[in-house]
Amino acid sequence: MSIPLAFRPRQDSLPPDEGSWHGDVKSFELRVLNTEAEIRDAVGLRHRAYAAMGYAIEDANGEYTDRFDGLSTTALLGAYDHGRLVGSMRLCFSHPWQTISTMPCASHYPALKDIKREQTGGLVEISRLSIEPGVSNTSYRTTLYAFLVRGAFTAAKAAGVSMILIATKPDWVKFYQYMLGFEPIGMPALYPPGDFKITLLGGSLEQAQSRQRLQNRFFKITEEEVASMKHAISAALARTSSPANKIAV
């Protein structure tokens, strides 16, 4: 089983009726999922979350997955509340020595090819953010969303990427523009599962960190957190000749 990272929310407490199901937001744990059981839980949660958002997800096993979940350059983050998986997110890396084919967005946003050539470092695509649809408390969901986004940025810093890409529904575009200063890349596209057009946003880590300092202490990332994350995603950062499968899903 994966080990909880040295990673804490930057909101120390919320009122019991506004925070965790257990009244303590400190109960959140962040993990990089590395066992078959954990990954199956995550793609099952993804299936429920996407179906609840109105996507036509058909899978007899109750899972929503694709080939990118099994690439060695992919890392799945899981957010746990008292041992229960309540949210997940996928990170797909394209290192300087690789093409953009390791990122799901590559075939849907042609402008990305030119962006890749201009970057001195790697790229990471943040997508498939999923929150347990049974969680209805708005404050809880917002805190959990930010918790996962902050985890993704910690991973980006640990990997030393020069650009972060976020695939998101139009409803969240203004959030990323305001909080991180990110801008759309190309035109919205029918990014899988393809029921709705999705916007791809991009920005540098330095740009995001500058905006974060201006907006919210929630995103202040410590060196301990970076070191813990770097160790946890080491497999996704390894220099390999091909993105071989790590776990079949």
Side-chain angles (χ1 to χ4, degrees), residues 78-91:
Y80 290 80
D81 184 350
H82 284 74
R84 179 177 180 178
L85 180 68
V86 290
S88 66
M89 176 179 280
R90 182 168 74 180
L91 308 176

Side-chain angles (χ1 to χ4, degrees), residues 196-216:
F196 310 101
K197 285 195 173 182
I198 297 297
T199 299
L200 184 68
L201 297 152
S204 69
L205 186 60
E206 291 76 16
Q207 174 186 349
Q209 289 175 326
S210 175
R211 183 64 66 94
Q212 289 163 5
R213 284 194 294 270
L214 292 174
Q215 299 293 350
N216 198 326

Side-chain angles (χ1 to χ4, degrees), residues 164-186:
I164 299 170
L165 303 166
I166 298 175
T168 186
K169 293 180 69 173
D171 295 352
W172 283 95
V173 169
K174 288 186 178 179
F175 168 83
Y176 288 110
Q177 288 180 314
Y178 177 74
M179 289 296 294
L180 307 175
F182 281 21
E183 293 299 332
I185 295 174

Side-chain angles (χ1 to χ4, degrees), residues 51-67:
M53 288 189 291
Y55 286 95
I57 306 295
E58 297 181 4
D59 191 304
N61 296 321
E63 299 173 354
Y64 179 36
T65 184
D66 56 42
R67 71 178 184 86

Side-chain angles (χ1 to χ4, degrees), residues 85-137:
L85 180 68
V86 290
S88 66
M89 176 179 280
R90 182 168 74 180
L91 308 176
C92 295
F93 293 93
S94 173
H95 301 300
W97 61 88
Q98 294 174 318
T99 68
I100 58 175
S101 63
T102 57
M103 298 188 297
C105 65
S107 60
H108 303 281
Y109 303 90
L112 194 58
K113 291 182 180 179
D114 291 336
I115 290 175
K116 170 71 173 180
R117 285 193 290 267
E118 295 170 357
Q119 298 303 310
T120 57
L123 282 69
V124 61
E125 176 186 349
I126 301 171
S127 60
R128 295 293 188 250
L129 191 150
S130 307
I131 293 177
E132 177 59 56
V135 178
S136 59
N137 185 293

